[in-house]
Amino acid sequence: MKFNFLQKQTSRREMLRGSATLAGSAFLAHFLPTTRVRASAAGNAQQRPSPADLLASMRAKFNAVPMETQELADNVTTFDGPGGAVTVLNGPDGKFTVDSFVAPAWPRLKEALDDLGSAPVKYVIDTHWHFDHTDNNAHLHAAGAAVLAHENTKKRMSEPHDLPVLYRGPDGALAGLHFDPSPAEALPQQTFTDSYKLQANGETLALQHVAPAHTDSDIYIHFQKANVISMGDLFFNGMYPYIDPGTGGKITGMISAADKILSLADNDTKIVAGHGPLGNKADLTKARDMLITSRDRVQKLKSEGKSALEAVAEKPFADLDPVWGNGIINGDQWIQIVYLTL
Ligand SMILES: [Zn+2]
């Protein structure tokens, strides 16, 4: 596949910057007095994008990222791009797909899957409930696949959610990111509580739920023979992660999940991140260490009685930001995410 690396880097950076703007000051807004938020929103009602527009804008930004195909093993391929990574086990028993990109990327995902061969998609496995991982469940189900996920993915997708990520437009107007319940055809048909195993195409897929981490619905998928682990958003490679305080996310859970995967991985294990490039044990170790440092520093400030905004003012991540703060989440947001999910 022809691929312009520089062009991709530029596009990805632009996309990430766009997402940062979208999520930007969101967490600040979370701490503002409600009346002030309401007044500000009401005063700018005309310019304020609707929640549906915000979500469409986020989908469009994710969809603007080019797609890169990487072969991880003889029968395991990952597509990296429009809303994270999709990993596929392919063979005569059918295709087994992990995650599904954002909705507007469906034509590209379908083409990429078709290019792998004519076997039907048997299963789509959701790593968690977020839209950039589950958006094409219904398309894949209509094509004959069963959707398999942790039981909390089905539960969270069945409910409305207002993520505590608010959008501040250039005029200062504030709005929330709202999710309606997903339609029935997008919900998982099969769920499990703790762990689940699938055997196909000479491979064993071990699916494992972890304690609340990025959300309360996360699983990782271990392709045992291929030595590949797909972590979903339990791993953002090379950037601060998002942790969802609205559906049970906990930074201690993110650290425990990283420790668990590190205990399974060897130096040859390919670790597929929910966002960011394909990783390995060394990359995940660095991310885990950054999470521990972040937790300890914010915990200290919180224990001293500082509010989230006072913690931001202390600039506790000044040394980490140049390395980790250039992705979806910037340093100021990260302090508040950690504060909210301690
Ligand atoms: Zn997510």
Side-chain angles (χ1 to χ4, degrees):
M1 166 178 181
K2 277 193 191 150
F3 187 67
N4 183 328
F5 185 72
L6 282 174
Q7 184 193 332
K8 180 200 171 208
Q9 291 298 86
T10 306
S11 302
R12 180 182 295 277
R13 202 167 295 133
E14 280 165 5
M15 184 284 287
L16 294 174
R17 204 169 283 144
S19 298
T21 308
L22 187 67
S25 356
F27 290 85
L28 284 171
H30 187 75
F31 292 92
L32 289 173
T34 315
T35 48
R36 196 172 141 201
V37 174
R38 283 210 189 108
S40 171
N44 293 284
Q46 284 191 325
Q47 296 92 347
R48 185 162 49 105
S50 72
D53 287 344
L54 286 177
L55 192 53
S57 149
M58 203 158 178
R59 283 190 166 105
K61 278 172 182 150
F62 274 125
N63 189 45
V65 180
M67 196 173 83
E68 181 186 0
T69 301
Q70 289 181 82
E71 200 172 284
L72 305 186
D74 283 347
N75 56 359
V76 180
T77 305
T78 192
F79 307 125
D80 185 20
V86 169
T87 306
V88 186
L89 168 70
N90 182 36
D93 297 334
K95 293 173 188 137
F96 292 69
T97 300
V98 177
D99 286 339
S100 72
F101 290 147
V102 289
W106 169 244
R108 278 192 287 165
L109 176 59
K110 183 179 184 313
E111 192 185 345
L113 288 168
D114 288 347
D115 282 351
L116 289 179
S118 58
V121 180
K122 207 87 184 264
Y123 273 95
V124 54
I125 301 163
D126 296 334
T127 55
H128 63 293
W129 78 270
H130 283 156
F131 73 101
D132 50 327
H133 300 257
T134 58
D135 251 5
N136 289 307
N137 277 0
H139 279 303
L140 289 159
H141 181 55
V147 180
L148 172 62
H150 185 261
E151 60 186 8
N152 286 347
T153 291
K154 184 174 184 180
K155 174 172 176 276
R156 295 306 194 179
M157 287 180 74
S158 306
E159 304 165 340
H161 290 289
D162 286 288
L163 259 61
V165 175
L166 301 175
Y167 173 84
R168 189 192 299 270
D171 57 357
L174 299 171
L177 203 54
H178 175 80
F179 293 86
D180 287 325
S182 298
E185 60 269 25
L187 299 178
Q189 288 84 43
Q190 292 184 33
T191 61
F192 63 94
T193 307
D194 186 42
S195 62
Y196 196 85
K197 263 191 185 169
L198 287 168
Q199 284 182 319
N201 301 319
E203 178 59 276
T204 299
L205 301 185
L207 285 57
Q208 180 65 51
H209 176 53
V210 297
H214 171 70
T215 65
D216 64 3
S217 64
D218 309 304
I219 61 168
Y220 65 81
I221 296 92
H222 189 183
F223 298 71
Q224 292 183 332
K225 186 166 166 234
N227 199 9
V228 170
I229 302 175
S230 182
M231 287 184 68
D233 285 357
L234 295 169
F235 182 29
F236 282 52
N237 192 8
M239 62 182 105
Y240 291 133
Y242 178 62
I243 304 175
D244 181 355
T247 58
K250 295 277 170 213
I251 187 166
T252 49
M254 290 289 282
I255 295 166
S256 303
D259 280 334
K260 170 75 182 165
I261 304 294
L262 288 171
S263 75
L264 295 174
D266 60 35
N267 291 334
D268 297 323
T269 306
K270 295 183 173 76
I271 305 180
V272 181
H275 299 276
L278 180 68
N280 57 27
K281 194 170 182 179
D283 297 322
L284 181 58
T285 303
K286 279 186 224 156
R288 190 269 320 264
D289 293 349
M290 177 276 292
L291 292 172
I292 291 172
T293 303
S294 300
R295 178 199 59 190
D296 292 350
R297 289 182 188 176
V298 175
Q299 181 65 67
K300 181 167 179 293
L301 294 168
K302 201 170 180 177
S303 304
E304 289 166 6
K306 293 200 162 53
S307 70
L309 291 182
E310 286 166 345
V312 170
E314 294 281 324
K315 303 234 170 279
F317 300 153
D319 57 330
L320 301 177
D321 287 351
V323 178
W324 301 95
N326 303 309
I328 295 171
I329 301 294
N330 68 30
D332 286 356
Q333 288 173 284
W334 176 233
I335 297 163
Q336 293 167 78
I337 291 172
V338 176
Y339 194 98
L340 278 175
T341 60
L342 274 170

